[in-house]
């Protein structure tokens, strides 16, 4: 079915047209996963909400801007992908899905997150990259089991001090924001393993050598005057990364990040919950 035909049919609310878009998905798959990515959907078909044992639901790359209250019936859902849609606000019904471990919200139009997000206390991975966030919502700091936070390509200038409360956090991606200083709160998070501040406006890096858990720091494409000092064995990606922590006069080389090192958008086949 061509995308142009899907786009036309998506405007028609009849059951026949919705069934056409779903390609005869009438019963819950044995693997308890439904992938409706790229179907030009403008509304979630209600009968999907009757699959009460559903564990994974992928709705990426559609035209959704709201979700039906019936979604609350999916209380076994662990992975929900809403990236590449038209959400200006996170539907509150998402915050009722308390078994969620992974939530993809990237590439929408979100300017904030609701306080009800704190109800998702099983959340381990949160993608909020490529939205319209000018600050990191403090409610994120209440997700006590969070291990991975992707918040790149927004308009963040600072991070809340409450972020240090996330003692399970291991990876934080902040590339493509408006940080003019290295976020001080990250210096108080010894459990971090990966810090990515690529493509910001940071001019000076403090020492990171005191962070015992650190394995990788990506700081390329910043107008920095120095490279961050790190402990032995920690990999740095950025200017002067293969030299001493302080730049040499002759230095000016920029090390490009390979595709394997960059934080990537959620793949077509998303990972299983940790």
């Amino acid at each position: 079915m061509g995308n142009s035909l899907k786009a036309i049919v998506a405007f028609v609310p009849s059951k026949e047209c919705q069934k056409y878009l779903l390609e005869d998905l009438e019963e819950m798959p044995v693997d308890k996963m439904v992938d409706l990515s790229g179907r030009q959907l403008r509304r979630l078909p209600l009968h999907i909400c009757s699959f009460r044992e559903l564990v994974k639901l992928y709705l990426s790359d559609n035209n959704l801007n709201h979700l039906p209250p019936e979604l609350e019936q999916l209380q076994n859902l662990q992975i929900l992908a809403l990236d590449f849609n038209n959400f200006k606000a996170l539907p509150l019904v998402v915050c009722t899905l308390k078994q969620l471990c992974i939530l993809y919200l990237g590439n929408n139009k979100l300017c904030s997150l609701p306080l009800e997000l704190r109800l998702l206390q099983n959340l381990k991975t949160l993608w909020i990259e490529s939205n319209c966030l000018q600050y990191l919502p403090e409610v994120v700091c209440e997700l006590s089991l969070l291990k991975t936070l992707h918040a790149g390509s927004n308009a963040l200038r600072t991070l809340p001090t409450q972020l240090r409360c996330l003692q399970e956090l291991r990876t934080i991606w902040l590339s493509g924001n408006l940080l003019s200083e290295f976020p001080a709160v990250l210096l108080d998070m010894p459990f971090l393993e990966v810090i990515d501040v690529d493509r910001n406006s940071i001019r000076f890096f403090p020492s990171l050598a005191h962070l015992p858990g650190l394995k990788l720091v990506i700081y390329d494409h910043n107008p920095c005057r120095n490279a961050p000092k790190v402990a032995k064995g920690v990999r740095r990606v950025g200017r002067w990364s293969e030299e001493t922590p302080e730049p040499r006069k002759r230095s000016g080389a920029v090390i490009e990040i390979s595709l394997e090192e960059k934080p990537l958008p959620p793949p077509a086949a998303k990972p299983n919950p940790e």
Side-chain angles (χ1 to χ4, degrees):
M1 187 193 314
N3 284 338
S4 58
L5 180 56
K6 286 183 181 179
I8 295 173
V9 175
F11 276 105
V12 184
S14 71
K15 291 183 179 179
E16 290 76 12
C17 288
Q18 293 302 301
K19 184 177 179 180
Y20 184 53
L21 286 171
L22 296 177
E23 299 177 359
D24 295 325
L25 179 63
E26 296 181 355
E27 298 182 0
M28 186 181 71
V30 177
D31 61 3
K32 300 181 180 180
M33 179 186 77
V34 169
D35 188 352
L36 298 177
S37 301
R39 302 291 183 93
Q40 302 291 327
L41 296 175
R42 296 179 180 274
R43 58 181 61 84
L44 178 65
L46 288 182
H47 85 275
I48 296 298
C49 300
S50 67
F51 299 165
R52 300 197 177 194
E53 299 301 314
L54 199 65
V55 173
K56 305 173 186 178
L57 177 58
Y58 300 109
L59 300 173
S60 308
D61 193 21
N62 281 293
N63 295 306
L64 300 171
N65 56 28
H66 69 281
L67 294 172
E70 289 83 356
L71 189 71
E72 185 177 3
Q73 300 175 31
L74 303 182
Q75 285 301 310
N76 291 299
L77 206 62
Q78 296 180 24
I79 301 178
L80 177 60
L82 299 174
D83 47 317
F84 293 94
N85 276 285
N86 295 316
F87 292 103
K88 294 183 179 179
L90 179 65
L92 292 182
V93 66
V94 173
C95 301
T96 67
L97 306 174
K98 297 182 180 180
Q99 297 303 314
L100 279 183
C101 296
I102 301 177
L103 179 57
Y104 295 100
L105 299 175
N107 290 273
N108 278 285
K109 301 173 183 177
L110 302 174
C111 294
S112 63
L113 294 173
L115 292 177
E116 288 81 358
L117 190 72
R118 62 165 64 105
L119 299 175
L120 301 182
Q121 285 300 307
N122 286 306
L123 206 62
K124 295 181 179 180
T125 299
L126 177 62
W127 292 68
I128 50 175
E129 81 288 354
S130 299
N131 275 286
C132 305
L133 299 171
Q134 296 185 15
Y135 61 92
L136 184 67
E138 293 184 3
V139 67
V140 172
C141 304
E142 299 184 45
L143 303 174
S144 59
L145 295 184
L146 199 65
K147 290 186 175 181
T148 302
L149 176 60
H150 288 259
S153 300
N154 280 286
L156 305 181
R157 296 180 183 274
T158 61
L159 295 180
T161 58
Q162 296 93 323
L163 195 68
R164 65 167 62 95
C165 297
L166 296 182
Q167 297 191 14
E168 296 298 320
L169 194 66
R170 297 294 180 267
T171 303
I172 185 166
W173 307 99
L174 299 166
S175 63
N177 277 288
L178 301 176
L179 300 172
S180 59
E181 297 181 356
F182 185 83
V185 65
L186 300 184
L187 301 176
D188 296 328
M189 301 177 70
F191 33 80
L192 283 175
E193 297 179 357
V194 177
I195 298 175
D196 175 22
V197 289
D198 182 33
R199 300 184 186 279
N200 278 276
S201 300
I202 301 172
R203 294 186 175 276
F204 177 79
F205 281 93
S207 174
L208 306 180
H210 66 290
L211 300 179
L214 194 61
K215 297 178 180 178
L216 170 66
V217 56
I218 304 174
Y219 64 95
D220 209 3
H221 304 99
N222 279 279
C224 53
R225 302 188 301 272
N226 71 316
K229 293 181 180 180
V230 294
K232 185 177 181 180
V234 178
R235 187 180 180 196
R236 297 178 301 176
V237 179
R239 298 182 69 193
W240 316 298
S241 61
E242 293 185 346
E243 301 185 9
T244 58
E246 299 303 324
R248 299 174 184 173
K249 290 183 179 179
R250 65 176 177 79
S251 177
V254 176
I255 296 177
E256 293 296 331
I257 305 174
S258 69
L259 289 177
E260 289 76 18
E261 294 162 349
K262 288 183 179 179
L264 298 176
K270 307 254 184 351
N272 289 322
E274 300 178 12

